[in-house]
Amino acid sequence: MTAKKKELIFETPRKDGFSMPARFDEHERTLVAWPPKEEAVNTNLQSFRDEVAVLVKAISTYEPVTVVVDPADEVDARACCGDVATILVVPIDASWIRDDGPIFVRDAGGDVAGVQFDFNGWGERVVHEKTKVMPAQVISALNKKCYTAPFICEGGGISVDGNGTLITTEQVMRNGNRYSGMSRDDIEQGLHDYLGIEKVIWLGRGLVEDTETDGHVDNVVEYVAPGVVMAQVTNDPGNPNFDLLTENLKRLKSARDARGRQLDIIEMEPLPYLPEMNGSCAVAPYVNAYIVNGGIIAPQVDPKMDDQGYRLLEESFPGRKVTPVPTVFQADA
């Protein structure tokens, strides 16, 4: 008699009852990466660090903050943030921990675990050797269980409602520079297994100016509550984002989430542009504000638009006040 082949069953967050909560849910803490020396290639590093220090102090008034810092920069980070944040020394060579760091999931009992996804420098644009192992080290330092996912998922490329629905863009998660050989079904199954989601809503593209990440969704839409999203729009046909934002809005209006609900959509029309740096133009959408326990950390960009953007954020998140933070660190001349 031929022995029956044993089926391999891989451990995943989904099988263990974990799923990703929404960003607007209660936080245990916020992780911030201290800009390492490698960030000085195209940036005035000290100005960047000064800005991050302001951000850390702002967040710390609402919830605990852990600053992840490379060993070479520990003294500087402690001097700037040690009075308001916990310093976690882990080798890093990049400061964008939402994208390259761990993504956390939670089970019905409130236990939290971390998932380390692959990261390839936003489509092989940059190489971060230290960062490849950073997520697992952070998860271990926080005494959480660690899962390793066999595909790429950047935190800025997804938005979840905590009820089983995830929104992303085709520009990011169907891009051959990250997902060569993976079908749409493969990607959705991976998100199901490692983030516990049931439904993916696919938008087309992110902002035209978002060239470094290939159109992350966090610049065009964010969940405000289950069944409610804030969507970036523009009423200016001359804005290069007019057509793609119109298409994204159309898709959101026709979508149904994992619970079968039609989405309530809050349209964010203000779209502030940063001062031009090194010949490039960038935006700092209010849609990409950071929701903290009891507050909102929002970009301080354009006095002509900030008040309008902040007002809409506070109306969308009742009981939370906006704390503005500066968004422009100076590029080297």
Side-chain angles (χ1 to χ4, degrees):
M1 179 180 289
T2 304
K4 187 176 181 180
K5 186 176 180 180
K6 184 178 180 180
E7 181 182 0
L8 295 177
I9 301 176
F10 295 97
E11 185 181 51
T12 66
R14 173 71 184 184
K15 287 181 178 176
D16 289 342
F18 288 94
S19 62
M20 184 179 176
R23 289 195 185 108
F24 55 75
D25 209 337
E26 190 78 7
H27 300 173
E28 179 181 317
R29 66 182 54 251
T30 287
L31 300 179
V32 177
W34 189 248
K37 291 181 172 62
E38 287 84 352
E39 297 284 6
V41 175
N42 298 310
T43 301
N44 182 318
L45 183 60
Q46 189 56 54
S47 293
F48 192 4
R49 288 178 173 176
D50 290 344
E51 195 166 300
V52 170
V54 173
L55 174 66
V56 169
K57 288 182 172 69
I59 297 173
S60 72
T61 64
Y62 294 98
E63 61 187 68
V65 181
T66 293
V67 177
V68 181
V69 56
D70 190 77
D73 301 315
E74 179 182 359
V75 172
D76 185 58
R78 287 193 184 280
C80 294
C81 302
D83 59 333
V84 296
T86 299
I87 305 299
L88 175 58
V89 182
V90 171
I92 60 171
D93 47 13
S95 58
W96 310 103
I97 199 165
R98 174 184 274 191
D99 290 348
D100 57 39
I103 293 179
F104 293 95
V105 290
R106 185 178 60 197
D107 68 11
D111 288 335
V112 174
V115 184
Q116 171 166 314
F117 287 89
D118 286 343
F119 180 71
N120 74 341
W122 305 284
E124 308 292 352
R125 285 178 169 84
V126 290
V127 176
H128 293 311
E129 290 299 331
K130 296 178 186 176
T131 296
K132 288 181 180 178
V133 295
M134 175 269 289
Q137 293 175 319
V138 170
I139 294 168
S140 175
L142 295 175
N143 296 314
K144 310 295 186 185
K145 181 174 182 176
C146 181
Y147 296 89
T148 301
F151 67 102
I152 292 169
C153 182
E154 298 153 6
I158 60 173
S159 179
V160 303
D161 68 348
N163 275 187
T165 308
L166 178 149
I167 305 176
T168 188
T169 65
E170 294 166 350
Q171 185 182 0
V172 170
M173 297 203 77
R174 297 289 289 120
N175 198 315
N177 66 10
R178 294 162 171 83
Y179 301 99
S180 179
M182 290 185 71
S183 68
R184 176 167 161 156
D185 287 345
D186 291 337
I187 294 167
E188 290 190 353
Q189 185 63 49
L191 295 170
H192 172 81
D193 291 341
Y194 287 89
L195 295 181
I197 60 93
E198 302 291 343
K199 172 73 178 287
V200 178
I201 296 174
W202 292 91
L203 302 185
R205 293 180 290 157
L207 296 179
V208 167
E209 296 83 7
D210 190 4
T211 57
E212 294 184 352
T213 66
D214 296 310
H216 268 184
V217 80
D218 60 6
N219 280 325
V220 294
V221 68
E222 186 59 271
Y223 266 105
V224 170
V228 185
V229 297
M230 176 173 287
Q232 183 66 59
V233 300
T234 178
N235 295 324
D236 178 10
N239 187 293
N241 296 290
F242 181 81
D243 289 341
L244 72 88
L245 292 176
T246 300
E247 171 63 20
N248 284 348
L249 186 61
K250 179 181 176 182
R251 294 192 189 193
L252 289 171
K253 287 181 176 179
S254 65
R256 296 293 184 275
D257 67 12
R259 303 292 178 91
R261 294 172 294 209
Q262 184 174 4
L263 298 174
D264 289 332
I265 302 170
I266 301 166
E267 297 185 16
M268 173 64 80
E269 198 278 328
L271 182 58
Y273 280 78
L274 297 168
E276 188 171 298
M277 296 188 298
N278 292 337
S280 64
C281 188
V283 291
Y286 304 112
V287 168
N288 202 1
Y290 182 52
I291 310 305
V292 291
N293 297 339
I296 306 167
I297 308 298
Q300 187 176 37
V301 187
D302 183 347
K304 293 179 290 187
M305 291 189 184
D306 285 350
D307 286 347
Q308 184 181 356
Y310 299 164
R311 184 168 60 253
L312 188 53
L313 284 170
E314 290 178 348
E315 289 173 354
S316 303
F317 293 94
R320 304 185 200 239
K321 296 292 292 182
V322 166
T323 295
V325 295
T327 59
V328 182
F329 53 85
Q330 298 302 312
D332 286 333

